[in-house]
Amino acid sequence: MTSPESTTKRAKLRPIPSFIFASRWLQLPLYIGLIAAQGVYVFHFWLELVHLLEAAFGSQTALQALVTSIGYKSDVPVPALNETIIMLVVLALIDVVMISNLLIMVIVGGYETFVSRMDLDGHPDQPEWLSHVNASVLKVKLATAIIGISSIHLLKTFINAANYDEKVLIAQTAIHITFLFSAIAIAYTDKLLNSSHQNTSH
């Protein structure tokens, strides 16, 4: 009779499969690089926020930095913050937050799925979506996040539409619609695969 210890004991891999399986750790520098990229986004977020606060208190230097960063153009000089500039800056900040959320999803979900378990079960800060994440779920979530980011970019373009060519507006709208249909196709394909898998398992 086999003991529980022997049944739970890990089977020792042969050298070549072990080497191939260990190659997953080559992805670790990629995730570390994404963490560094997120640090750049955090710095950019606070820089824009500080410029917004300084401009609100009358700093012309900060105001010009904001106008340049958001690509706002006007036929008349901009002496102070107006509603359009504030809205464009806030949308840019939201855009940074959403991209940062996307990075976290890729870093945490990708590492958990493709590199190694993080053993977060029972941790009070464990993300709700991580408990049932896999490659298919990660794809759908990433597609949904990209649609959200594209929506913010499209809204920024429409608010500042006077400074864009009509072809640019049409192109951005078409790209957003393409992202939307791509996400729907990915989600539908994932649903079909899960259905077929459940049917074969019965």
Side-chain angles (χ1 to χ4, degrees):
M1 183 176 178
T2 58
S3 63
E5 292 182 359
S6 61
T7 57
T8 57
K9 187 178 180 180
R10 296 179 183 176
K12 187 176 181 181
L13 292 176
R14 289 173 292 147
I16 293 180
S18 179
F19 174 74
I20 293 174
F21 185 58
S23 67
R24 72 194 189 279
W25 288 103
L26 290 173
Q27 293 190 33
L28 182 59
L30 305 181
Y31 292 115
I32 293 175
L34 289 179
I35 294 172
Q38 187 168 16
V40 174
Y41 265 108
V42 172
F43 175 77
H44 177 73
F45 178 93
W46 282 105
L47 190 65
E48 292 294 299
L49 183 60
V50 169
H51 284 160
L52 179 61
L53 294 175
E54 289 176 346
F57 285 100
S59 172
Q60 286 297 316
T61 304
L63 177 61
Q64 292 307 313
L66 287 177
V67 169
T68 303
S69 66
I70 62 177
Y72 182 77
K73 297 178 182 178
S74 177
D75 296 333
V76 296
V78 183
L81 278 177
N82 56 47
E83 185 180 358
T84 302
I85 294 177
I86 295 173
M87 192 179 300
L88 289 172
V89 173
V90 170
L91 286 174
L93 295 178
I94 294 173
D95 191 29
V96 171
V97 172
M98 294 187 70
I99 293 176
S100 182
N101 291 341
L102 178 61
L103 282 170
I104 284 292
M105 202 177 297
V106 173
I107 294 167
V108 178
Y111 183 89
E112 173 85 11
T113 304
F114 300 109
V115 180
S116 179
R117 296 291 183 186
M118 301 180 72
D119 296 327
L120 294 177
D121 292 337
H123 194 284
D125 294 329
Q126 180 186 8
E128 182 274 333
W129 53 268
L130 191 60
S131 60
H132 54 269
V133 71
N134 55 44
S136 297
V137 172
L138 195 59
K139 262 192 305 185
V140 174
K141 287 187 176 296
L142 290 178
T144 306
I146 289 173
I147 289 174
I149 294 169
S150 176
S151 300
I152 295 296
H153 274 276
L154 195 59
L155 182 57
K156 285 169 59 181
T157 301
F158 285 158
I159 292 174
N160 202 20
N163 297 320
Y164 289 92
D165 187 77
E166 185 178 347
K167 292 181 179 179
V168 175
L169 297 175
I170 295 174
Q172 288 199 11
T173 304
I175 292 171
H176 178 71
I177 293 173
T178 302
F179 283 149
L180 182 60
F181 279 109
S182 297
I184 293 173
I186 291 172
Y188 183 69
T189 303
D190 183 59
K191 181 181 178 182
L192 290 179
L193 290 175
N194 288 335
S195 299
S196 62
H197 178 70
Q198 290 175 0
N199 291 334
T200 55
S201 62
H202 288 309

